[in-house]
């Protein structure tokens, strides 16, 4: 078994809001991985005195510990418990009902001699290499499938560059995040119930060779710059390593005049070869 991981901040002058970790039990075969991408809030109050890096470190640590030690719980149950534990850590000092309370996307996977389980919430991703060499992307596409009215606000904000148009788009997106009626998209924040919205599944252990978890700062190679498909991205990481993918993304970011959202985003990649 081999683990390769890298995380690089989008701006060296700002804290990295991604989280990456993996655990291999001393007792034998198996392991777990967790990758989070903290959601950078717009300027202004978010109701929390701690900030996103604090939040992702607490949530990621709790999720890894539960995923590795509580085999009687599903990954969704582990995420729900980790969200509840993290919320309790700052409930007395922070307004957890604030729509911009710290939150994160989630990728988690766990394996033993019999099964490989996965969980994906929001726009980080997981690539599963099967035993026959094919690559299966496990993605939560809800953020990419915004309603037409919200996409129109987004396009207008990009075209005009006006702060008022940008603010209108941000408000519309915030109204869809963790919407209780199921009409929006979901991130892990302070409500454990969000775990039930995650994309989950499993494969027989014999059918999986490798797992590749990425935040959207790394998936830009495919989703923003169109430098190759998911199989091509996987092949690049397998051949040259996790850092090579981030380097390629940074090169592409430097060569184009405008990138959707942040010009440079925190980028995290974790490769777990199970064989």
């Amino acid at each position: 078994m081999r683990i390769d991981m890298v995380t690089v901040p989008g701006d060296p002058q700002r804290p990295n809001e991604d989280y990456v970790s993996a655990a291999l039990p001393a007792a034998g075969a198996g392991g777990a991985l967790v990758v989070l991408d903290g959601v950078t809030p717009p300027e202004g109050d978010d109701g929390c005195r701690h900030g996103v890096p604090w939040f992702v470190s607490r949530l990621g640590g709790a999720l890894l510990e539960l995923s590795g030690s509580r085999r009687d719980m599903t990954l969704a149950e582990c995420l729900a418990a980790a969200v509840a534990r993290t919320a309790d850590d700052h409930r007395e000092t922070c307004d957890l009902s604030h729509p911009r309370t710290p939150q994160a996307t989630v990728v988690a996977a766990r394996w033993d001699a019999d099964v490989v389980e996965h969980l994906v919430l929001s726009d980080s991703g997981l690539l599963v290499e099967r035993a026959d060499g094919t690559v299966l992307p496990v993605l939560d596409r809800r953020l990419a499938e915004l309603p037409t009215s919200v996409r129109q606000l987004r396009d207008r904000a990009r075209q005009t560059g006006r702060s008022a148009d940008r603010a209108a788009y941000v408000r519309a997106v915030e109204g869809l995040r963790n919407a209780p009626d199921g009409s929006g998209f979901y991130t892990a924040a302070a409500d454990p119930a969000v775990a039930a919205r995650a994309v989950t599944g499993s494969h027989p252990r014999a059918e999986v060779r490798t797992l590749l978890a990425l935040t959207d700062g790394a998936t830009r190679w495919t989703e923003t710059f169109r430098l190759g498909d998911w199989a091509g991205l996987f092949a690049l990481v397998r051949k040259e390593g996790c850092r090579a993918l981030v380097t390629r993304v940074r090169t592409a970011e430097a060569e184009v005049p405008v990138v959707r959202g942040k010009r440079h985003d925190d980028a995290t990649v974790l490769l777990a070869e199970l064989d």
Side-chain angles (χ1 to χ4, degrees):
M1 185 175 297
R2 182 176 76 91
I3 301 289
D4 178 22
M5 67 178 81
V6 65
T7 182
V8 180
D11 180 350
Q13 304 305 314
R14 294 176 56 87
N16 190 338
E17 295 174 338
D18 285 357
Y19 172 93
V20 58
S21 59
L24 304 177
L33 66 83
V34 172
V35 170
L36 308 181
D37 182 355
V39 178
T40 304
E43 292 295 330
D45 179 47
D46 61 9
C48 180
R49 62 187 290 184
H50 300 98
V52 175
W54 177 93
F55 173 79
V56 295
S57 66
R58 293 295 182 103
L59 179 62
L63 180 54
L64 184 70
E65 183 265 312
L66 289 164
S67 298
S69 65
R70 294 296 305 271
R71 294 283 172 165
D72 57 316
M73 298 169 65
T74 67
L75 284 180
E77 290 170 338
C78 291
L79 177 59
V83 168
R85 182 188 298 181
T86 304
D88 288 344
D89 285 344
H90 65 144
R91 190 181 307 280
E92 298 300 319
T93 58
C94 305
D95 177 11
L96 304 189
S97 66
H98 196 290
R100 296 176 182 172
T101 192
Q103 51 206 277
T105 74
V106 182
V107 175
R110 177 171 65 185
W111 60 94
D112 59 21
D114 300 315
V115 66
V116 178
E117 304 164 73
H118 64 257
L119 177 150
V120 176
L121 186 67
S122 198
D123 60 349
S124 292
L126 178 71
L127 303 184
V128 179
E129 184 195 26
R130 294 167 165 154
D132 63 4
T134 59
V135 175
L136 171 68
V138 180
L139 307 170
D140 178 355
R141 304 304 300 175
R142 285 170 289 195
L143 181 56
E145 298 169 354
L146 297 174
T148 300
S149 59
V150 179
R151 293 200 302 270
Q152 290 172 341
L153 288 173
R154 177 197 63 198
D155 295 342
R156 182 177 180 181
R158 291 176 182 172
Q159 291 167 3
T160 67
R162 293 196 298 250
S163 59
D165 291 336
R166 173 65 182 170
Y169 169 60
V170 168
R171 287 194 299 271
V173 172
E174 287 183 340
L176 293 172
R177 182 181 290 122
N178 295 331
D181 63 358
S183 63
F185 63 96
Y186 299 89
T187 53
D191 182 3
V194 76
R197 304 282 190 177
V199 176
T200 59
S202 65
H203 301 272
R205 170 65 185 81
E207 295 181 5
V208 178
R209 286 182 184 171
T210 310
L211 300 171
L212 180 62
L214 314 102
T215 61
D216 68 337
T219 62
R220 284 180 169 189
W221 191 87
T222 290
E223 296 197 303
T224 300
F225 300 113
R226 311 297 182 187
L227 296 172
D229 59 12
W230 293 115
L233 185 154
F234 183 90
L236 168 62
V237 174
R238 166 62 68 77
K239 180 179 179 180
E240 301 185 30
C242 293
R243 183 168 293 277
L245 174 62
V246 178
T247 299
R248 300 288 183 86
V249 170
R250 292 290 185 256
T251 299
E253 290 168 341
E255 291 175 347
V256 298
V258 177
V259 172
R260 180 183 62 187
K262 303 173 186 175
R263 184 171 183 83
H264 303 290
D265 197 5
D266 301 337
T268 297
V269 187
L270 187 156
L271 179 76
E273 295 181 340
L274 306 189
D275 292 332

